Amino acid sequence: YIKYIISDQHDVRSLLELSREYQISKLTSRCEERLLQKQSSVELVILAQEFSLKRLLEKCLASLARMNFQELKICPNFDNIEAENLVCLLNNHLRWLKEQHAREIRQLREQFLKEKGRALEIANELKVVGDITNCQSEVAHAHRIPSHVTTVA
């Protein structure tokens, strides 16, 4: 029984090559676990493709889908992403864009409803003020003494 501990000092690529050559699946798993802790990158996608690291590939494709695609395309080795994985990346990116769009629409709708509520409150206040003004005007008008009525002193 050998326990594999992968640290930052180890060259993970070399360990993966040894693991593949000598068919040590446990070492491959440990290397993949270590790589899963790293920030997703095109380089990790390429490594995951080369060594069939499915979990790492899925994580990277999902994470990279949230990036600006124009910036992603200029990354070194982007052209080395296999067609199948590129299609998956683009599908993930489209799904993320749709989710972003839906969130923005929800936020705008909420903002609109809040502003509409405030506008209705103001309109109601103005209506109340208008009603009071009209009522005061009617009271003042009712208290006027008609000109044809003479007052007795």
Side-chain angles (χ1 to χ4, degrees):
Y1 170 77
I2 300 173
K3 186 173 182 175
Y4 302 103
I5 300 173
I6 310 296
S7 69
D8 288 333
Q9 289 77 29
H10 286 94
D11 178 6
V12 177
R13 175 177 278 287
S14 297
L15 290 172
L16 285 167
E17 289 170 354
L18 288 171
S19 165
R20 180 171 52 195
E21 184 176 339
Y22 294 105
Q23 300 176 357
I24 307 172
S25 59
K26 191 82 167 172
L27 179 57
T28 303
S29 295
R30 290 292 174 109
C31 288
E32 184 175 28
E33 287 172 22
R34 181 71 186 108
L35 292 170
L36 283 165
Q37 297 171 11
K38 293 184 170 243
Q39 184 174 349
S40 295
S41 67
V42 171
E43 290 75 25
L44 283 180
V45 170
I46 305 304
L47 196 65
Q49 289 175 164
E50 184 179 344
F51 293 98
S52 302
L53 305 173
K54 292 183 186 346
R55 291 185 303 151
L56 179 62
L57 185 61
E58 288 173 8
K59 176 203 174 224
C60 288
L61 293 176
S63 296
L64 295 178
R66 293 177 180 88
M67 289 181 62
N68 179 314
F69 199 72
Q70 297 305 318
E71 292 176 12
L72 196 58
K73 282 180 16 182
I74 61 174
C75 287
N77 295 322
F78 181 83
D79 294 338
N80 295 331
I81 296 176
E82 294 171 1
E84 176 184 342
N85 294 326
L86 189 56
V87 168
C88 182
L89 176 63
L90 288 169
N91 282 332
N92 288 345
H93 187 67
L94 286 173
R95 188 176 310 113
W96 179 76
L97 288 172
K98 287 177 184 177
E99 291 168 0
Q100 284 290 103
H101 183 69
R103 270 192 292 277
E104 288 172 6
I105 288 174
R106 256 191 320 276
Q107 289 172 345
L108 288 172
R109 187 175 294 131
E110 288 171 8
Q111 182 182 352
F112 168 76
L113 291 174
K114 284 179 186 176
E115 289 177 10
K116 180 181 173 184
R118 278 189 236 128
L120 288 173
E121 287 174 11
I122 292 169
N124 284 335
E125 289 173 12
L126 291 175
K127 184 178 182 298
V128 168
V129 169
D131 290 346
I132 291 171
T133 304
N134 287 342
C135 185
Q136 288 172 342
S137 178
E138 289 174 12
V139 167
H141 184 67
H143 284 87
R144 279 197 193 126
I145 300 173
S147 59
H148 68 277
V149 176
T150 57
T151 56
V152 179

